[in-house]
Amino acid sequence: MTDTPPTLVWFRRDLRLSDHAALTEAAKRGPVIPVFIRDALVEGLGTAPQWRLGLGLGAFADALKDKGSRLILRSGPAPEVLSELVEETGARAVYWSRAYDPDSVERDTRVKEVLKDKGIDAQSFTGHLMFEPWTVETGQGGFYKVYTPFWKAVCDRDVPAPLSSPSDLKAPTTWPDSETLADWNLGQGMRRGADVVRPYVRLGEKAAQTRLGVFMRDKVADYGTTRDEVSKDGTSCLSENLSLGEISPAQCWHAGRRAMEDGKSGAQTFLKELVWREFAYHLMWHTP
């Protein structure tokens, strides 16, 4: 416990402890209060995404608990919820990982304006992408509209090594109240479907890292062909984990680069698929 003002870390699609720039910086400052907000963007998700999000939040809360921390759950518009938490906790900073879809950009811009007007250090950090959309330009200064030139522009760029998990997450002097995940009942719409889908889910950061390791060891060499054969288990299956940020694209990229250097022929194809993901986000950023 400490009297240093805490930092709120607002989690969204970044439910991990490692390679998390916002969390790493917050941990350097002092006490950290992890927060997840059920706002209109969450409530607007479809049935299956809400169900999977609920599972992911539960796993992430357990991971924080293992670190001596906890996940604070609140509902409502993000600017209002974060402002209330700042008042309740005495926090002087709010950090989060950037999002790139139009609705999130609009929300996050408003959050930053509201918090800065209160004198709060409000910062967004990289993490959901390897290359920020405003850093990749054609020779004429615009954005890429075709994938192959985009790939050629970024394939040899340096991707910083993934950050380790913070060794210590200091607790605040007093924890704010939290809603409960059970009361949110994010999986209610799945009904019988939950039992059908649940065996295929690999839940949380540790499971995502294991999935990546197994793929690189056993499947990536043939990925260039087996990814297109529906009768074979030839893909990484990492999309569910990347979607909620249970693993970062940079972690996947560096694993793929090591596999390529080891002579596994399908590794470059896997890297190209990661860059397809980047390309889609860049198009969404530039043409919302």
Side-chain angles (χ1 to χ4, degrees):
M1 300 296 181
T2 174
D3 292 332
T4 305
T7 298
L8 303 180
V9 179
W10 176 24
F11 287 88
R12 295 98 68 81
R13 290 186 173 271
D14 51 347
L15 304 182
R16 64 181 182 273
L17 299 174
S18 63
D19 201 26
H20 197 297
L23 179 62
T24 298
E25 288 303 310
K28 292 176 183 178
R29 292 174 57 96
V32 174
I33 300 177
V35 179
F36 185 88
I37 301 171
R38 186 182 65 168
D39 61 5
L41 272 67
V42 172
E43 293 182 344
L45 293 173
T47 296
Q50 283 204 32
W51 171 75
R52 180 59 177 85
L53 173 61
L55 295 178
L57 289 172
F60 185 56
D62 289 342
L64 286 169
K65 186 176 180 180
D66 289 343
K67 284 278 191 178
S69 186
R70 63 180 71 172
L71 182 61
I72 302 301
L73 304 175
R74 293 287 180 96
S75 299
E80 296 176 14
V81 170
L82 291 169
S83 294
E84 291 168 0
L85 282 168
V86 163
E87 294 294 329
E88 292 174 26
T89 64
R92 302 306 303 158
V94 181
Y95 293 168
W96 63 88
S97 302
R98 291 188 195 102
Y100 303 89
D101 62 281
D103 291 338
S104 294
V105 170
E106 181 180 2
R107 174 197 61 190
D108 296 355
T109 299
R110 178 60 181 159
V111 165
K112 190 170 285 191
E113 291 172 350
V114 168
L115 293 175
K116 287 192 171 184
D117 283 347
K118 296 177 180 294
I120 302 301
D121 177 19
Q123 294 190 46
S124 60
F125 293 78
T126 190
H128 201 60
L129 296 179
M130 296 182 290
F131 315 109
E132 297 290 12
W134 49 89
T135 69
V136 183
E137 293 184 337
T138 67
Q140 291 72 42
F143 65 93
Y144 285 94
K145 301 175 184 178
V146 179
Y147 169 74
T148 298
F150 182 87
W151 159 255
K152 291 178 179 178
V154 303
C155 65
D156 292 323
R157 280 197 179 197
D158 179 56
V159 175
L163 299 165
S164 300
S165 301
S167 57
D168 180 41
L169 286 179
K170 295 183 178 66
T173 303
T174 304
W175 286 100
D177 292 336
S178 174
E179 298 170 18
T180 66
L181 194 56
D183 286 343
W184 283 6
N185 199 14
L186 292 174
Q188 61 181 327
M190 284 288 282
R191 286 173 263 176
R192 291 181 298 171
D195 292 334
V196 175
V197 179
R198 183 63 182 87
Y200 301 96
V201 171
R202 298 297 177 266
L203 189 60
E205 182 174 4
K206 289 182 180 179
Q209 294 289 348
T210 298
R211 175 178 261 172
L212 175 65
V214 170
F215 173 70
M216 290 298 164
R217 184 191 69 201
D218 298 339
K219 297 194 287 185
V220 74
D222 298 322
Y223 178 74
T225 56
T226 56
R227 70 191 179 95
D228 292 326
E229 298 179 28
V230 296
S231 64
K232 295 182 179 179
D233 181 17
T235 67
S236 72
C237 298
L238 284 164
S239 60
E240 73 162 309
N241 307 112
L242 283 165
S243 175
L244 291 180
E246 293 170 337
I247 196 168
S248 76
Q251 290 169 323
C252 297
W253 177 267
H254 282 279
R257 294 286 295 191
R258 289 191 295 269
M260 191 169 68
E261 291 165 2
D262 289 341
K264 296 183 177 180
S265 59
Q268 186 181 64
T269 304
F270 177 72
L271 296 178
K272 287 182 175 181
E273 294 299 290
L274 283 176
V275 173
W276 262 109
R277 176 181 180 273
E278 298 276 320
F279 183 55
Y281 273 106
H282 283 227
L283 288 179
M284 182 162 52
W285 168 267
H286 288 293
T287 59

